[in-house]
Amino acid sequence: YTGTPKCDSDTINTEVEAKNVSTLTGWQMVALGSDYEDLMQVAMLKNGPISIVLNANGMDFYVHGIVGCSDHDYCEAGAIQDHMPCDPTYLDHAVLAVGYGVQDGLEYWVIKNSWGEAWGEDGYYRMVKGVNHCGVANFVVHSTVKAIEHESDST
């Protein structure tokens, strides 16, 4: 590949005219530590996916299951997390928290990684929720959005 990528301005202009776009106007902190992990769920419900930074130690070997738990057969499944502790203060990988769930009474986060669909559970990672595992709640932000106003909207 050579050259500078260019935006498809025809598509962008069509979307703006159809009012199908918004403008990111900034960002807000959601969580800065384990005391705020519950706020991540609230922010996700109000604003959609949230950006997080966590310690990715052990993620290279993740295949499936809920990482960070210990009482169920599916914990650490396909991973070597128990052999590679993750320091929650050493944050080295930015990802997107897109959901949460419960399996047999165990709460977990659903995290979208950037390594493609061949990695993990079709590109996603499940991590135990509620214990700030690998620093999942130590640096969490979401974007703020302002809808684009059109001249016809102000009349």
Side-chain angles (χ1 to χ4, degrees):
Y1 177 79
T2 60
T4 303
K6 296 185 181 186
C7 290
D8 180 353
S9 58
D10 289 338
T11 300
I12 292 171
N13 291 335
T14 300
E15 294 299 319
V16 169
E17 289 170 12
K19 301 179 186 179
N20 291 332
V21 296
S22 296
T23 301
L24 293 180
T25 56
W27 56 274
Q28 269 184 331
M29 291 302 301
V30 174
L32 278 171
S34 59
D35 291 343
Y36 302 97
E37 190 168 352
D38 288 340
L39 290 178
M40 292 169 58
Q41 182 173 329
V42 173
M44 189 180 299
L45 287 171
K46 283 185 70 178
N47 304 302
I50 52 179
S51 299
I52 64 174
V53 182
L54 51 74
N55 184 321
N57 202 7
M59 284 180 69
D60 290 342
F61 307 102
Y62 176 78
V63 176
H64 61 88
I66 302 171
V67 172
C69 59
S70 59
D71 297 334
H72 301 282
D73 292 338
Y74 49 85
C75 297
E76 312 284 355
I80 59 169
Q81 185 69 25
D82 56 335
H83 298 100
M84 299 177 71
C86 60
D87 178 353
T89 64
Y90 182 75
L91 307 177
D92 62 355
H93 189 51
V95 292
L96 195 63
V98 298
Y100 52 91
V102 178
Q103 184 173 348
D104 295 333
L106 181 67
E107 293 184 83
Y108 60 86
W109 292 110
V110 178
I111 298 170
K112 184 179 190 296
N113 200 358
S114 59
W115 297 341
E117 292 181 7
W119 176 86
E121 296 177 340
D122 296 323
Y124 293 84
Y125 184 61
R126 289 187 294 154
M127 175 183 286
V128 67
K129 182 176 177 281
V131 294
N132 196 25
H133 186 70
C134 294
V136 71
N138 285 353
F139 193 90
V140 182
V141 298
H142 73 84
S143 56
T144 56
V145 178
K146 178 180 178 184
I148 293 179
E149 291 187 29
H150 298 274
E151 289 182 26
S152 62
D153 293 343
S154 59
T155 58

